[in-house]
Amino acid sequence: MAHQSHGVEALPVVTVHCQRTGCDACASAEGGFIGVGLMSGTSCDAVDAAALRFVQIAPSSLHVTLLAYLERSINPSTQSAIKQLVEMPMNHADVPAEPPPKAPKHAKPTLVQKDEGGCERRAALTIGDEDGASTTAAAVFAPDATMNAASATPIAAISRLHVSLGHAFAAAALQVIERAGLKPSDVDWIGSHGQTVFHGPNETPGHSLQIGSAAVIAKETGCLVVSDFRAADVARGGQGAPILPFVDYWLHGTHDHVDGLAIVNVGGIANVTVLPYGEPMEAMQAFDVGPGNMLIDSAMRMFSDGILTYDKNGAWAKEGTVCADLLDALLSHPFCARPAPKSTGREEFGLPYLQAVLAEPRSSTPSQKDVVATLTMFTARCIADQVSKLCKNGPGQVWISGGGARNSTLMAFLQQLMPKSTVVSYTEAAFDADAREAVAFAVLGYCTLTNVPCSLPSISGASSEALMGHVTPGSQGFSPLVKLLSTTSQHS
């Protein structure tokens, strides 16, 4: 079956109305489908889960109701393991052509790394299960372990973490299904983004890896799972990111803001979607603009010895003063000047980068709160500078989602930098700002299962559009897919 184009001629198929509390049309309609969306972002701190009801009212009207949303924390040892894997030094020249000699039979498993002076050091990775237990031996390698040739990342640790996160995602899915007053057997699909552990679309060949076993999620929940959404776009030479713009257009493409609408997700990384007024999907622009909360969170952990994991409501930033020369150093990062399409992650803006930029000599030493204020302004500048380039006279509205929407200092900086625009939380304008990404993956799962390509070559740089996602059957096999395709074909 040929897939549907997402061009202008197909818009009646993808008109979506998102309702926080439902609507009369949805309530009176029979049938419908239940989709669950799961997401863990670059902050690595929780799995976001949303349960949605999809009701095809008519060929031109698909109503989507947000039934429940929650965040299920990832235990600290697993968070630490993810960050250690992602931020591990990646010097391709240091990857041996042949495996190193085997360790002594009873040697403690370790991973040999080199410090800046070239001296060997041994680092242990700790991975915890979802009950909070942790073990070093389960996550580390003997020196003769197989290594990923591109990034020197221990494959066995990734494999174990892949399964561990699968259980974490499954637990979040079951919890949000229960909160929505449903049973797993009521759910037609789960759309799971997974956890990005490496994003390298600009390498040759490009690659991006998200883990969190779909097979484990399907086994634990019994539900059909759609996962690995980025791979098809990257395989076509695209960035595989940002991945939300297609859903943004579905939900908000018919907005009435004549000066345009910008939707900014401030998670670990910040990305922007700009929707011009009255324009087709192809006129939309979207890309990652730089770090969101990632550097701020890293600084808070570093300054508090791990006690504080984020700047609650921007309190530290509010008490600090922006350090001009530190801000200039941050803005000189090559990513800021890189043309779109572009995407980034912890590989470029992780803890090693923060430590390196803070170690640079400056005329005066900023206080810890000054550093947090400067990092917050850096995030605001990354967003405002790019939005201003895309919208010379606006945009009229800027909606902020993700954790950044709860940082009042960041919101104030953004309004200060974009005086022609009204900056508001996505919650005020649409629905729960924290739920936006989880909602998106439930919608993207629907797109995959109904044969609608949701990649956007004009944004990602891919050579062609693609159906995105891999399908893993649950206890009912492909029955939910057959039901979905049968029902949607009746309305087409």
Side-chain angles (χ1 to χ4, degrees), residues 385-431:
D385 289 357
Q386 294 299 324
V387 169
S388 298
K389 288 179 182 178
L390 296 175
C391 303
K392 301 298 183 184
N393 298 316
Q397 292 253 318
V398 179
W399 299 352
I400 309 297
S401 67
R406 298 191 300 274
N407 184 324
S408 61
T409 304
L410 175 61
M411 295 291 281
F413 283 165
L414 288 169
Q415 187 63 79
Q416 171 190 327
L417 294 169
M418 294 183 285
K420 295 180 180 180
S421 303
T422 300
V423 179
V424 298
S425 167
Y426 191 86
T427 303
E428 297 177 43
F431 54 89

Tab-separated table of all heavy atoms in Angstrom, residues 385-431:
chain	number	residue	atom	x	y	z
A	385	ASP	N	17.901	34.527	19.487
A	385	ASP	CA	18.679	34.893	18.300
A	385	ASP	C	18.158	34.155	17.066
A	385	ASP	O	18.022	34.749	15.979
A	385	ASP	CB	20.163	34.579	18.503
A	385	ASP	CG	20.830	35.520	19.497
A	385	ASP	OD1	20.158	36.441	19.985
A	385	ASP	OD2	22.025	35.310	19.808
A	386	GLN	N	17.864	32.859	17.216
A	386	GLN	CA	17.402	32.087	16.077
A	386	GLN	C	15.968	32.432	15.693
A	386	GLN	O	15.631	32.546	14.510
A	386	GLN	CB	17.527	30.586	16.376
A	386	GLN	CG	18.956	30.101	16.522
A	386	GLN	CD	19.775	30.299	15.256
A	386	GLN	OE1	19.272	30.165	14.143
A	386	GLN	NE2	21.040	30.653	15.413
A	387	VAL	N	15.095	32.610	16.688
A	387	VAL	CA	13.707	32.972	16.397
A	387	VAL	C	13.655	34.325	15.687
A	387	VAL	O	12.890	34.521	14.742
A	387	VAL	CB	12.859	32.996	17.688
A	387	VAL	CG1	11.490	33.625	17.445
A	387	VAL	CG2	12.694	31.574	18.224
A	388	SER	N	14.477	35.269	16.133
A	388	SER	CA	14.499	36.600	15.521
A	388	SER	C	14.962	36.551	14.073
A	388	SER	O	14.497	37.314	13.220
A	388	SER	CB	15.402	37.541	16.331
A	388	SER	OG	14.900	37.699	17.645
A	389	LYS	N	15.892	35.628	13.769
A	389	LYS	CA	16.353	35.483	12.387
A	389	LYS	C	15.244	34.921	11.499
A	389	LYS	O	15.111	35.292	10.327
A	389	LYS	CB	17.577	34.562	12.331
A	389	LYS	CG	18.853	35.175	12.881
A	389	LYS	CD	19.998	34.175	12.808
A	389	LYS	CE	21.280	34.759	13.405
A	389	LYS	NZ	22.392	33.777	13.380
A	390	LEU	N	14.445	34.025	12.067
A	390	LEU	CA	13.387	33.387	11.288
A	390	LEU	C	12.171	34.284	11.116
A	390	LEU	O	11.436	34.171	10.127
A	390	LEU	CB	12.971	32.076	11.954
A	390	LEU	CG	14.042	30.978	12.016
A	390	LEU	CD1	13.523	29.791	12.818
A	390	LEU	CD2	14.453	30.538	10.621
A	391	CYS	N	11.926	35.148	12.101
A	391	CYS	CA	10.743	36.022	12.083
A	391	CYS	C	11.182	37.460	12.320
A	391	CYS	O	11.351	37.883	13.470
A	391	CYS	CB	9.744	35.603	13.162
A	391	CYS	SG	9.194	33.912	13.041
A	392	LYS	N	11.371	38.207	11.259
A	392	LYS	CA	11.915	39.559	11.380
A	392	LYS	C	11.005	40.488	12.180
A	392	LYS	O	11.467	41.381	12.882
A	392	LYS	CB	12.144	40.150	9.985
A	392	LYS	CG	13.101	39.345	9.120
A	392	LYS	CD	14.501	39.268	9.732
A	392	LYS	CE	15.459	38.524	8.820
A	392	LYS	NZ	16.793	38.347	9.440
A	393	ASN	N	9.703	40.284	12.113
A	393	ASN	CA	8.754	41.178	12.788
A	393	ASN	C	8.020	40.505	13.942
A	393	ASN	O	6.968	40.953	14.359
A	393	ASN	CB	7.725	41.699	11.782
A	393	ASN	CG	8.349	42.517	10.688
A	393	ASN	OD1	9.203	43.361	10.955
A	393	ASN	ND2	7.950	42.265	9.455
A	394	GLY	N	8.558	39.504	14.473
A	394	GLY	CA	7.816	38.805	15.530
A	394	GLY	C	8.622	37.628	16.041
A	394	GLY	O	9.824	37.764	16.235
A	395	PRO	N	7.972	36.498	16.149
A	395	PRO	CA	6.564	36.188	15.881
A	395	PRO	C	5.634	36.817	16.916
A	395	PRO	O	6.095	37.303	17.953
A	395	PRO	CB	6.523	34.662	15.978
A	395	PRO	CG	7.599	34.347	16.972
A	395	PRO	CD	8.690	35.352	16.718
A	396	GLY	N	4.333	36.762	16.619
A	396	GLY	CA	3.388	37.361	17.555
A	396	GLY	C	3.358	36.630	18.875
A	396	GLY	O	3.252	37.249	19.932
A	397	GLN	N	3.444	35.296	18.813
A	397	GLN	CA	3.391	34.480	20.028
A	397	GLN	C	4.565	33.510	20.054
A	397	GLN	O	4.948	32.948	19.021
A	397	GLN	CB	2.087	33.697	20.088
A	397	GLN	CG	0.852	34.553	20.298
A	397	GLN	CD	0.291	34.408	21.706
A	397	GLN	OE1	0.219	33.331	22.269
A	397	GLN	NE2	-0.135	35.526	22.272
A	398	VAL	N	5.128	33.309	21.253
A	398	VAL	CA	6.159	32.299	21.474
A	398	VAL	C	5.676	31.429	22.632
A	398	VAL	O	5.493	31.915	23.744
A	398	VAL	CB	7.533	32.926	21.811
A	398	VAL	CG1	8.567	31.837	22.049
A	398	VAL	CG2	7.987	33.863	20.698
A	399	TRP	N	5.448	30.149	22.348
A	399	TRP	CA	4.983	29.215	23.368
A	399	TRP	C	6.159	28.374	23.846
A	399	TRP	O	6.868	27.774	23.026
A	399	TRP	CB	3.906	28.290	22.819
A	399	TRP	CG	2.671	28.973	22.331
A	399	TRP	CD1	2.338	30.299	22.454
A	399	TRP	CD2	1.586	28.360	21.618
A	399	TRP	NE1	1.125	30.546	21.870
A	399	TRP	CE2	0.628	29.380	21.358
A	399	TRP	CE3	1.316	27.073	21.192
A	399	TRP	CZ2	-0.552	29.136	20.672
A	399	TRP	CZ3	0.135	26.806	20.512
A	399	TRP	CH2	-0.788	27.826	20.264
A	400	ILE	N	6.360	28.312	25.148
A	400	ILE	CA	7.487	27.581	25.724
A	400	ILE	C	6.992	26.316	26.412
A	400	ILE	O	6.135	26.366	27.292
A	400	ILE	CB	8.258	28.444	26.749
A	400	ILE	CG1	8.628	29.806	26.143
A	400	ILE	CG2	9.499	27.705	27.241
A	400	ILE	CD1	9.562	29.737	24.958
A	401	SER	N	7.547	25.173	26.007
A	401	SER	CA	7.219	23.897	26.650
A	401	SER	C	8.473	23.306	27.266
A	401	SER	O	9.566	23.854	27.142
A	401	SER	CB	6.599	22.927	25.637
A	401	SER	OG	7.560	22.538	24.666
A	402	GLY	N	8.313	22.148	27.919
A	402	GLY	CA	9.444	21.512	28.579
A	402	GLY	C	9.712	22.129	29.945
A	402	GLY	O	9.017	23.046	30.389
A	403	GLY	N	10.753	21.649	30.592
A	403	GLY	CA	11.091	22.137	31.931
A	403	GLY	C	11.404	23.615	31.978
A	403	GLY	O	11.206	24.274	33.003
A	404	GLY	N	11.890	24.170	30.862
A	404	GLY	CA	12.219	25.590	30.830
A	404	GLY	C	11.032	26.487	31.060
A	404	GLY	O	11.183	27.638	31.499
A	405	ALA	N	9.815	25.988	30.785
A	405	ALA	CA	8.610	26.791	30.989
A	405	ALA	C	8.372	27.088	32.468
A	405	ALA	O	7.643	28.019	32.803
A	405	ALA	CB	7.402	26.076	30.398
A	406	ARG	N	9.002	26.283	33.347
A	406	ARG	CA	8.835	26.490	34.793
A	406	ARG	C	9.964	27.326	35.387
A	406	ARG	O	10.020	27.512	36.603
A	406	ARG	CB	8.759	25.141	35.506
A	406	ARG	CG	7.575	24.289	35.062
A	406	ARG	CD	7.386	23.090	35.982
A	406	ARG	NE	8.548	22.213	36.001
A	406	ARG	CZ	8.754	21.234	35.130
A	406	ARG	NH1	7.880	21.008	34.164
A	406	ARG	NH2	9.821	20.468	35.222
A	407	ASN	N	10.865	27.823	34.546
A	407	ASN	CA	11.975	28.648	34.999
A	407	ASN	C	11.606	30.115	34.736
A	407	ASN	O	11.711	30.605	33.613
A	407	ASN	CB	13.251	28.259	34.232
A	407	ASN	CG	14.487	28.997	34.711
A	407	ASN	OD1	14.427	30.166	35.069
A	407	ASN	ND2	15.625	28.314	34.692
A	408	SER	N	11.146	30.810	35.767
A	408	SER	CA	10.642	32.171	35.575
A	408	SER	C	11.737	33.132	35.133
A	408	SER	O	11.458	34.104	34.413
A	408	SER	CB	9.987	32.681	36.859
A	408	SER	OG	10.912	32.720	37.928
A	409	THR	N	12.982	32.884	35.533
A	409	THR	CA	14.081	33.757	35.102
A	409	THR	C	14.330	33.584	33.610
A	409	THR	O	14.518	34.571	32.881
A	409	THR	CB	15.354	33.451	35.895
A	409	THR	OG1	15.085	33.576	37.298
A	409	THR	CG2	16.475	34.409	35.518
A	410	LEU	N	14.320	32.362	33.137
A	410	LEU	CA	14.480	32.117	31.703
A	410	LEU	C	13.331	32.752	30.924
A	410	LEU	O	13.558	33.400	29.885
A	410	LEU	CB	14.524	30.610	31.429
A	410	LEU	CG	14.562	30.194	29.954
A	410	LEU	CD1	15.813	30.738	29.264
A	410	LEU	CD2	14.490	28.676	29.817
A	411	MET	N	12.113	32.610	31.402
A	411	MET	CA	10.958	33.204	30.721
A	411	MET	C	11.096	34.722	30.664
A	411	MET	O	10.776	35.351	29.645
A	411	MET	CB	9.669	32.793	31.432
A	411	MET	CG	9.352	31.303	31.379
A	411	MET	SD	8.906	30.712	29.735
A	411	MET	CE	7.188	31.249	29.646
A	412	ALA	N	11.592	35.326	31.745
A	412	ALA	CA	11.787	36.782	31.764
A	412	ALA	C	12.872	37.201	30.774
A	412	ALA	O	12.733	38.209	30.064
A	412	ALA	CB	12.141	37.233	33.172
A	413	PHE	N	13.967	36.431	30.719
A	413	PHE	CA	15.029	36.726	29.759
A	413	PHE	C	14.493	36.663	28.332
A	413	PHE	O	14.812	37.514	27.482
A	413	PHE	CB	16.184	35.732	29.908
A	413	PHE	CG	17.093	35.977	31.087
A	413	PHE	CD1	17.985	34.994	31.514
A	413	PHE	CD2	17.081	37.178	31.773
A	413	PHE	CE1	18.839	35.213	32.582
A	413	PHE	CE2	17.933	37.418	32.859
A	413	PHE	CZ	18.819	36.420	33.265
A	414	LEU	N	13.687	35.642	28.041
A	414	LEU	CA	13.149	35.485	26.697
A	414	LEU	C	12.243	36.655	26.319
A	414	LEU	O	12.314	37.170	25.196
A	414	LEU	CB	12.381	34.165	26.592
A	414	LEU	CG	13.231	32.893	26.583
A	414	LEU	CD1	12.359	31.654	26.753
A	414	LEU	CD2	14.047	32.800	25.303
A	415	GLN	N	11.390	37.083	27.250
A	415	GLN	CA	10.519	38.212	26.958
A	415	GLN	C	11.339	39.484	26.755
A	415	GLN	O	11.030	40.305	25.870
A	415	GLN	CB	9.519	38.413	28.092
A	415	GLN	CG	8.458	39.463	27.805
A	415	GLN	CD	7.573	39.104	26.624
A	415	GLN	OE1	6.653	38.300	26.728
A	415	GLN	NE2	7.850	39.698	25.453
A	416	GLN	N	12.394	39.639	27.533
A	416	GLN	CA	13.286	40.802	27.403
A	416	GLN	C	13.971	40.813	26.033
A	416	GLN	O	14.109	41.873	25.399
A	416	GLN	CB	14.339	40.738	28.512
A	416	GLN	CG	15.470	41.745	28.411
A	416	GLN	CD	16.580	41.441	29.423
A	416	GLN	OE1	16.318	40.940	30.522
A	416	GLN	NE2	17.808	41.729	29.060
A	417	LEU	N	14.387	39.655	25.561
A	417	LEU	CA	15.105	39.555	24.295
A	417	LEU	C	14.183	39.599	23.079
A	417	LEU	O	14.636	39.873	21.963
A	417	LEU	CB	15.930	38.255	24.263
A	417	LEU	CG	17.090	38.165	25.256
A	417	LEU	CD1	17.633	36.739	25.309
A	417	LEU	CD2	18.201	39.133	24.869
A	418	MET	N	12.890	39.309	23.278
A	418	MET	CA	11.929	39.320	22.164
A	418	MET	C	10.745	40.221	22.517
A	418	MET	O	9.609	39.754	22.710
A	418	MET	CB	11.454	37.887	21.872
A	418	MET	CG	12.552	36.981	21.353
A	418	MET	SD	11.969	35.296	20.917
A	418	MET	CE	11.757	34.597	22.564
A	419	PRO	N	10.967	41.532	22.611
A	419	PRO	CA	9.918	42.453	23.074
A	419	PRO	C	8.706	42.549	22.152
A	419	PRO	O	7.627	42.939	22.591
A	419	PRO	CB	10.656	43.793	23.160
A	419	PRO	CG	11.809	43.664	22.208
A	419	PRO	CD	12.228	42.238	22.296
A	420	LYS	N	8.860	42.189	20.871
A	420	LYS	CA	7.736	42.262	19.944
A	420	LYS	C	6.811	41.048	20.044
A	420	LYS	O	5.737	41.032	19.454
A	420	LYS	CB	8.240	42.379	18.506
A	420	LYS	CG	8.997	43.670	18.216
A	420	LYS	CD	9.451	43.706	16.765
A	420	LYS	CE	10.210	44.983	16.443
A	420	LYS	NZ	10.662	45.013	15.029
A	421	SER	N	7.247	40.049	20.783
A	421	SER	CA	6.480	38.810	20.897
A	421	SER	C	5.896	38.676	22.297
A	421	SER	O	6.413	39.241	23.263
A	421	SER	CB	7.384	37.596	20.621
A	421	SER	OG	7.999	37.691	19.355
A	422	THR	N	4.821	37.918	22.406
A	422	THR	CA	4.260	37.558	23.700
A	422	THR	C	4.745	36.156	24.043
A	422	THR	O	4.436	35.189	23.333
A	422	THR	CB	2.722	37.573	23.667
A	422	THR	OG1	2.278	38.884	23.312
A	422	THR	CG2	2.151	37.197	25.020
A	423	VAL	N	5.536	36.055	25.095
A	423	VAL	CA	6.117	34.778	25.505
A	423	VAL	C	5.253	34.174	26.610
A	423	VAL	O	5.078	34.784	27.668
A	423	VAL	CB	7.569	34.956	25.997
A	423	VAL	CG1	8.158	33.610	26.437
A	423	VAL	CG2	8.436	35.591	24.908
A	424	VAL	N	4.702	32.991	26.356
A	424	VAL	CA	3.845	32.348	27.341
A	424	VAL	C	4.197	30.868	27.438
A	424	VAL	O	4.823	30.295	26.533
A	424	VAL	CB	2.341	32.480	26.983
A	424	VAL	CG1	1.924	33.931	26.951
A	424	VAL	CG2	2.033	31.788	25.657
A	425	SER	N	3.784	30.245	28.523
A	425	SER	CA	3.948	28.805	28.672
A	425	SER	C	3.006	28.089	27.709
A	425	SER	O	1.877	28.525	27.465
A	425	SER	CB	3.638	28.385	30.109
A	425	SER	OG	3.500	26.980	30.196
A	426	TYR	N	3.449	26.983	27.178
A	426	TYR	CA	2.623	26.146	26.311
A	426	TYR	C	1.352	25.718	27.049
A	426	TYR	O	0.297	25.547	26.434
A	426	TYR	CB	3.441	24.919	25.903
A	426	TYR	CG	2.847	24.066	24.807
A	426	TYR	CD1	3.068	24.349	23.475
A	426	TYR	CD2	2.088	22.935	25.120
A	426	TYR	CE1	2.547	23.555	22.470
A	426	TYR	CE2	1.566	22.124	24.125
A	426	TYR	CZ	1.795	22.436	22.793
A	426	TYR	OH	1.272	21.635	21.806
A	427	THR	N	1.442	25.587	28.370
A	427	THR	CA	0.279	25.208	29.169
A	427	THR	C	-0.843	26.231	29.028
A	427	THR	O	-2.022	25.878	28.917
A	427	THR	CB	0.667	25.061	30.653
A	427	THR	OG1	1.712	24.091	30.770
A	427	THR	CG2	-0.517	24.634	31.499
A	428	GLU	N	-0.491	27.514	29.044
A	428	GLU	CA	-1.487	28.573	28.912
A	428	GLU	C	-2.137	28.569	27.530
A	428	GLU	O	-3.325	28.875	27.383
A	428	GLU	CB	-0.849	29.947	29.149
A	428	GLU	CG	-0.286	30.162	30.541
A	428	GLU	CD	0.396	31.523	30.650
A	428	GLU	OE1	-0.181	32.502	30.136
A	428	GLU	OE2	1.498	31.592	31.231
A	429	ALA	N	-1.368	28.221	26.519
A	429	ALA	CA	-1.844	28.344	25.145
A	429	ALA	C	-2.501	27.073	24.604
A	429	ALA	O	-3.379	27.155	23.745
A	429	ALA	CB	-0.676	28.724	24.243
A	430	ALA	N	-2.089	25.904	25.098
A	430	ALA	CA	-2.557	24.650	24.500
A	430	ALA	C	-2.953	23.632	25.573
A	430	ALA	O	-4.092	23.564	25.983
A	430	ALA	CB	-1.475	24.088	23.580
A	431	PHE	N	-1.986	22.858	26.032
A	431	PHE	CA	-2.219	21.881	27.093
A	431	PHE	C	-0.933	21.755	27.888
A	431	PHE	O	0.031	22.482	27.650
A	431	PHE	CB	-2.700	20.529	26.542
A	431	PHE	CG	-1.797	19.930	25.486
A	431	PHE	CD1	-0.749	19.098	25.828
A	431	PHE	CD2	-2.011	20.193	24.143
A	431	PHE	CE1	0.080	18.548	24.876
A	431	PHE	CE2	-1.195	19.645	23.162
A	431	PHE	CZ	-0.141	18.822	23.531
